[in-house]
Amino acid sequence: MGRKVILATCSLNQWALDFDGNLERILRSIAIAKSQGAKYRLGPELEICGYGCADHFYESDTLLHCFQVLRKLLESPVTQDIICDVGMSVTLLTSTSARKILLIRPKMLLDTVPFGDCVLSTKDTCIGSEMCAELWNPRSPHVDMGLDGVEIFTNSSASYHELRKADHRVNLVKSATTKSGGIYMFANQKGCDGDRLYYDGCATVAINGDIVAQGRQFSLDDVEVVTAILDLEDVRSYKGEHCHPHVPCHRVKVDFSLSDCEDVYLPTHQPIEWQFHTPEEEISLGPACWLWDYLRRSGQAGFLLPLSGGVDSSSTACIVYSMCVLVCQAVRDGNTQVLEDVQRVVNDVSYTPRDPRELCRRIFTTCYMASENSSEGTRNRAKDLASQIGSSHMNLNIDMAVKGMLGIFSMVTGKCPQFRANGGSTRENLALQNVQARIRMILAYLFAQLSQWAEGKPGGLLVLGSANVDESLTGYFTKYDCSSADINPIGGISKTDLKSFLQYCVEQFQLTALKSIMAAPPTAELEPLMDGQVSQTDESDMGMTYSELSVIGRLRKISKCGPYSMFCKLIHTWREALSPLQVAAKVKHFFQMYSVNRHKMTTVTPSYHAESYGPDDNRFDLRPFLYNTRWSWQFRAIDNQVGIRQST
């Protein structure tokens, strides 16, 4: 006779230090799990305090309030008749119907403590836990536990989204029970916890190498519970064929049973195929969910975006539109929390969003900031896209402000700088471009703060940035220009991926205005036009294509290449298109640009983390911002290698 168990794992949209909200969501998830018959509920890592507490973990208040919330959980009738894995700072604690703590289990890869390395032994099975990064470690705890007969593995995780990462995580979960059998429960955070990361849910249950239950990767639901009915006899049969020597785990006896004599009549969950999103769908959904969390939790009334009519700012605009699509769909699906949030954002308790374009008009302002160097083409492209997504669009001209700024400089110095096209030096040319860019930033914040006031509405707007990851790598932007904003949803995404995303938006949202945007060459439009046409393009300014930059960025960060090792790899990768001498020139040019402009990363706008090769020096790219930009030793090594190859 089979021994059926009903297990529940969940994804929760927790918020750092929001103890009231976090407690409410934990209790709600437990209630849902119990309503579906589950006897074991697994929550994400640090769900009581939120994962993004950072230095707040060192405060005594954080630990105090965690234990206060834990007491509330132990005293709540909701936690009766169920084992609950609950995560909080420092420890993972498990409570039962007896209203007591069964086990304190620390993250073993961080702490060495004798009290935590053990498993729970119930009347009918054995449960072991590992946390977050332990699944990714080559010495994962589930290996030894599985060999010792542990049948159910739990993982309370805080795994954040990166493009193309989901399949790797799913494969790790599957492989954990493929080797020696068992049930694997994966719980995860979801949403924006207060910083650059978006935790992408995907609560999962697997048995003997097969996925049997899958939660959503992107949604606006604060609480999602995934349950599965499984037969312990299936685990035992599988394990019988995979016996190996093992080191016994210490067991904590629990007078509790996960199965019931009536469970024999319950149908078990069958294997399913995981439905992965394409990278274009990930860009459409992940940053959109992140923006919604940021907006509703910031207390602001919407977003403002300087819309230039180029690929980058158009990508940001499309992500906001995608957010509006998700909000309208969530309201149609009966999500009362989203409805309450959107009513608070628009300051109208009677409002119900039904049309994404209409919602976009209420919460999204786009602004085309023209100058004498702007073309009619970019103006029209920005206007057409704004019309199709429904944003409240403005056209304004910055020439008066630019002339006023330069007039002050001329009055003080007696000098009048000129563009290179008019005979000016490189320094003059760059300074004149930067003045335009910085004035746009000032105007963006002015309108963000006062446009609602001018219309007699409360609140302000969050300024959105639109610098991509490749521009940040090379520093191809002006410090304190429109790249300086409150948040940037595309700062961790490459230009190549953004172009593919816009093509997806053409097909998914019927935004046909994007076709002309994708066809136009990327340009900053900061230098004078020639016969009314753009004379400046991004790729000519940078000295390399965006595709080349994506390759270089991954080699620099993921492959951890310096100038010489990068050159050695690229002479093979690019051998069909470039000679060793040309490859050397591109590598040197990149590292010179990178090192000269690295200081810009110290002030870069907080961006959605989407790529592991991003240059954000806050957490993911800890490097100096003052370099010897000559790289004399490294470049000499490259030159020697080029000389060797040319002489052979």
Side-chain angles (χ1 to χ4, degrees), residues 96-279:
T96 71
S97 59
R99 295 186 177 182
K100 67 178 182 180
I101 297 171
L102 296 176
L103 168 65
I104 298 178
R105 201 286 187 179
K107 183 181 288 188
M108 301 307 296
L109 295 180
L110 297 182
D111 306 291
T112 303
V113 286
F115 62 84
D117 193 8
C118 48
V119 298
L120 294 182
S121 181
T122 65
K123 291 180 177 180
D124 52 355
T125 188
C126 191
I127 307 167
S129 64
E130 59 186 12
M131 278 178 281
C132 202
E134 292 176 347
L135 173 62
W136 304 73
N137 192 275
R139 293 292 302 274
S140 297
H142 71 255
V143 176
D144 290 332
M145 289 190 293
L147 294 175
D148 189 37
V150 172
E151 296 177 331
I152 300 175
F153 311 100
T154 68
N155 188 315
S156 299
S157 188
S159 181
Y160 50 83
H161 173 240
E162 282 183 357
L163 294 177
R164 306 172 180 88
K165 174 184 174 182
D167 62 329
H168 188 25
R169 186 166 56 204
V170 170
N171 288 335
L172 285 172
V173 170
K174 291 169 66 174
S175 68
T177 58
T178 300
K179 291 171 284 190
S180 58
I183 297 168
Y184 201 97
M185 302 171 62
F186 177 85
N188 196 21
Q189 287 261 39
K190 66 187 303 186
C192 170
D193 194 21
D195 61 10
R196 296 160 172 81
L197 302 175
Y198 176 77
Y199 300 94
D200 57 341
C202 294
T204 308
V205 181
I207 180 171
N208 298 340
D210 291 320
I211 302 294
V212 293
Q214 167 192 351
R216 285 178 291 177
Q217 187 174 14
F218 307 107
S219 80
L220 302 186
D221 295 333
D222 282 346
V223 176
E224 182 183 26
V225 178
V226 174
T227 57
I229 304 171
L230 301 169
D231 195 334
L232 292 175
E233 294 301 327
D234 291 338
V235 173
R236 290 159 188 167
S237 297
Y238 191 97
K239 280 182 172 293
E241 299 178 355
H242 300 79
C243 296
H244 301 280
H246 61 274
V247 177
C249 302
H250 179 74
R251 280 162 163 72
V252 175
K253 301 291 184 181
V254 182
D255 187 20
F256 191 80
S257 179
L258 298 188
S259 60
D260 189 282
C261 59
E262 297 179 359
D263 293 343
V264 67
Y265 301 106
L266 295 175
T268 57
H269 279 64
Q270 299 303 306
I272 61 174
E273 285 294 323
W274 190 282
Q275 301 299 312
F276 292 105
H277 291 287
T278 65

Side-chain angles (χ1 to χ4, degrees), residues 488-642:
N488 179 1
I490 69 166
I493 306 173
S494 71
K495 192 82 160 191
T496 303
D497 281 336
L498 290 175
K499 288 181 178 179
S500 298
F501 164 64
L502 290 187
Q503 181 59 47
Y504 165 84
C505 291
V506 172
E507 300 163 3
Q508 180 72 13
F509 302 132
Q510 290 75 53
L511 300 178
T512 55
L514 295 171
K515 292 181 179 179
S516 60
I517 291 172
M518 290 186 289
T523 174
E525 287 195 337
L526 295 172
E527 295 190 44
L529 303 174
M530 296 183 65
D531 300 323
Q533 300 298 314
V534 172
S535 61
Q536 177 187 28
T537 64
D538 294 352
E539 292 185 337
S540 62
D541 280 356
M542 292 189 297
M544 59 186 64
T545 67
Y546 279 107
S547 297
E548 291 170 341
L549 264 178
S550 292
V551 174
I552 286 175
R554 286 179 168 82
L555 288 176
R556 182 200 70 93
K557 181 65 169 68
I558 299 176
S559 299
K560 298 179 175 56
C561 288
Y564 178 71
S565 55
M566 184 180 293
F567 165 77
C568 291
K569 289 181 182 293
L570 288 178
I571 56 175
H572 300 290
T573 304
W574 291 346
R575 64 181 179 276
E576 300 296 331
L578 300 173
S579 69
L581 189 61
Q582 291 172 314
V583 172
K586 285 189 179 290
V587 171
K588 290 179 183 179
H589 181 60
F590 167 76
F591 274 96
Q592 285 174 330
M593 284 195 302
Y594 167 79
S595 55
V596 165
N597 293 311
R598 178 65 184 172
H599 65 94
K600 296 179 181 179
M601 289 297 96
T602 62
T603 61
V604 73
T605 296
S607 300
Y608 181 93
H609 176 78
E611 287 281 13
S612 56
Y613 78 90
D616 180 1
D617 78 338
N618 173 265
R619 171 175 177 180
F620 293 98
D621 195 35
L622 305 178
R623 301 173 191 236
F625 55 86
L626 177 63
Y627 281 90
N628 183 338
T629 59
R630 294 187 296 275
W631 300 88
S632 55
W633 188 284
Q634 295 90 333
F635 288 179
R636 191 161 59 247
I638 293 175
D639 291 338
N640 291 339
Q641 190 60 235
V642 171

Side-chain angles (χ1 to χ4, degrees), residues 292 295-296 299-302 327-328 331 335-354 358-359 362-363 452 458:
W292 175 244
L295 176 61
R296 70 188 180 115
Q300 299 302 300
V327 169
C328 291
V331 171
N335 191 318
T336 56
Q337 182 64 61
V338 172
L339 179 59
E340 291 174 9
D341 288 336
V342 76
Q343 288 173 343
R344 186 175 65 254
V345 168
V346 302
N347 194 41
D348 184 353
V349 294
S350 65
Y351 175 64
T352 299
R354 293 184 175 88
E358 193 275 333
L359 175 59
R362 285 176 174 255
I363 66 172
Q452 294 285 102

